[in-house]
Amino acid sequence: METWINEAWEYALGKLSHTHTRIGATFPNASYGGKYDARDEDCWTNGFWPGILWLAYRATGDGEYRSIAESCEEQLDAPLQAYEQLHHDNGFLWSLSAVADYKLTGNTLSRRRGLIAASHLASRFNLKGHFIRAWLYEGSEGLAIIDCMMNLGLLYWASEELQDPRYRHIASAHSEMALREFIREDGSVHHIVRFDPDTGERIEALGGQGYSPDSAWSRGSAWAIYGFAIGYRYTGDIRFLNAATAAADYFAAQLPDDLVPPWDFRAPAEQLWAKDSTAAACAASGMLELAFLLKGEESEHYRKLGAAITESLFRHYSPQDPEEEALIIKGTGSFPHQAEVEVPIIYGDYFFLEALCKLKGENEIFW
Ligand code: GLY
């Protein structure tokens, strides 16, 4: 194993050994002035901190990580029971909290939480358009987004747990829709597609968190790489593998010298300064997933790419300031909304740590 992997691992675990006590059972989202903020229970990013703690618990057996993760999971019962607060991000929220807990400890209450979250997610499927509705607000009935690919693991997991193909059918139907409507010929992706919710007819693509309907939001590419790879892991459907590799090859071909993309590969030149390290971390972990699923030269190709991006994050995007709570800096939440521009974001930390776990040989995932 390359020396830097152990160095990066020591760095990440060393930092978490301090930060977990200050952050505790809250829901950090972005770090400002060196300290992570805390979100309300229904934010889509609230699975990532318990997910980080479960990764750390799995690696160290340290019960402090486990008990904070358990406390976060209990707090997520509020949005799980408040039906009106649930959107499509149940996978981000409960795969990394309840499902992770169940996979590591066998907790049957956690299993039930995961299954309830999966049932809610399945109920968002629009039978006419074959898409899972993304958001809650009035007017969003026909909107599907590429991010949803990362939520589908929860459905595949539920099908396996219940020995019932219904959830898998919905995840695969949404994925087939995404193959058709989101992935472009060159491997880049749309962020949002609008359908008529009554007829299922496609109306238009929208720019969303990308620069424009025809641009290439880098985190959207990362969601496609990893989400389709997970679909292939669960189903063995070669079309999902091909979509993941097409998205990965597009992403890799656009990368600048430091292997960390701008927020949108097709943003105007004067906006390319804004990096998104979260896209790099998620794409790296997705490529390492491909390396695990493939064999021979293809596997080695994606392992090298995933490792190189992770190494660059460690060498060039770990904070200079030892007091900074985040593991990596310069994530961009949404440049068009000027929200969280070049700040550390919790999902960047999650995917960075997950990629390091894979590079150390741990290939089981919570998704
Ligand atoms: N799922 C929302 C985002 O990627 O920002």
Side-chain angles (χ1 to χ4, degrees):
M1 189 189 306
E2 298 99 308
T3 340
W4 75 265
I5 298 174
N6 277 332
E7 283 170 28
W9 181 253
E10 294 302 321
Y11 154 74
L13 267 284
K15 190 173 283 262
L16 283 171
S17 72
H18 299 294
T19 54
H20 78 280
T21 44
R22 209 286 298 165
I23 297 172
T26 65
F27 295 107
N29 176 66
S31 167
Y32 299 97
K35 296 244 171 307
Y36 263 118
D37 62 1
R39 287 293 174 104
D40 294 334
E41 292 134 353
D42 59 343
C43 180
W44 76 273
T45 60
N46 287 354
F48 291 105
W49 177 236
I52 286 172
L53 296 166
W54 284 120
L55 292 176
Y57 170 72
R58 181 175 68 180
T60 64
D62 185 334
E64 274 194 45
Y65 294 127
R66 174 176 172 170
S67 69
I68 300 172
E70 286 170 340
S71 172
C72 289
E73 181 183 332
E74 280 159 24
Q75 292 177 64
L76 291 176
D77 282 347
L80 191 59
Q81 281 159 22
Y83 175 78
E84 291 82 355
Q85 280 171 267
L86 288 173
H87 36 73
H88 74 142
D89 281 328
N90 291 13
F92 284 116
L93 286 161
W94 283 282
S95 293
L96 300 186
S97 56
V99 176
D101 186 346
Y102 172 61
K103 285 185 175 179
L104 295 180
T105 73
N107 182 347
T108 51
L109 178 56
S110 301
R111 177 180 184 270
R112 192 173 308 139
R113 288 178 173 124
L115 293 174
I116 293 170
S119 297
H120 279 300
L121 180 57
S123 77
R124 303 184 71 77
F125 186 67
N126 182 308
L127 194 55
K128 289 285 189 184
H130 282 202
F131 65 90
I132 292 174
R133 175 182 172 181
W135 294 308
L136 288 171
Y137 64 89
E138 212 183 310
S140 71
E141 295 80 1
L143 298 184
I145 67 175
I146 193 67
D147 323 34
C148 191
M149 294 307 303
M150 288 302 291
N151 289 315
L152 302 182
L154 183 67
L155 297 178
Y156 290 122
W157 167 81
S159 259
E160 286 191 351
E161 276 305 307
L162 297 171
Q163 296 286 296
D164 181 337
R166 285 174 301 143
Y167 300 89
R168 186 177 74 239
H169 290 331
I170 289 176
S172 292
H174 180 95
S175 303
E176 286 163 19
M177 175 285 299
L179 283 178
R180 237 182 9 254
E181 308 293 355
F182 280 84
I183 308 268
R184 305 187 187 107
E185 197 112 321
D186 65 359
S188 67
V189 303
H190 293 294
H191 181 198
I192 305 177
V193 174
R194 185 198 299 280
F195 298 88
D196 180 320
D198 288 316
T199 64
E201 198 184 320
R202 181 192 214 267
I203 298 174
E204 60 183 343
L206 302 169
Q209 284 160 255
Y211 176 70
S212 76
D214 300 319
S215 69
W217 179 42
S218 57
R219 196 163 59 255
S221 290
W223 295 144
I225 297 166
Y226 203 172
F228 275 108
I230 291 169
Y232 177 66
R233 183 184 184 118
Y234 277 104
T235 64
D237 189 325
I238 199 78
R239 294 169 305 166
F240 301 162
L241 174 64
N242 290 340
T245 55
D249 296 346
Y250 174 80
F251 189 95
Q254 309 306 311
L255 286 175
D257 289 348
D258 70 358
L259 306 182
V260 173
W263 66 282
D264 190 314
F265 291 118
R266 295 184 193 143
E270 66 275 13
Q271 294 180 4
L272 289 174
W273 59 268
K275 293 280 193 175
D276 185 8
S277 60
T278 73
C282 176
S285 197
M287 290 176 188
L288 294 171
E289 184 67 23
L290 285 173
F292 172 68
L293 298 168
L294 290 164
K295 293 200 170 38
E297 275 179 26
E298 278 189 310
S299 168
E300 191 49 24
H301 171 70
Y302 290 110
R303 200 204 73 84
K304 276 193 184 146
L305 268 173
I309 295 171
T310 312
E311 182 176 7
S312 180
L313 288 170
F314 171 53
R315 297 206 187 280
H316 308 300
Y317 288 77
S318 51
Q320 302 282 315
D321 176 2
E323 297 298 314
E324 166 64 59
E325 289 184 338
L327 298 177
I328 58 170
I329 57 172
K330 296 196 181 184
T332 292
S334 180
F335 192 88
H337 302 96
Q338 286 294 292
E340 298 150 3
V341 176
E342 281 215 337
V343 294
I345 306 180
I346 196 70
Y347 41 93
D349 283 8
Y350 175 83
F351 287 111
F352 174 68
L353 189 64
E354 194 193 62
L356 287 175
C357 289
K358 292 177 182 178
L359 288 166
K360 285 181 70 67
E362 175 57 82
N363 285 300
E364 288 311 311
I365 52 172
F366 302 146
W367 301 101

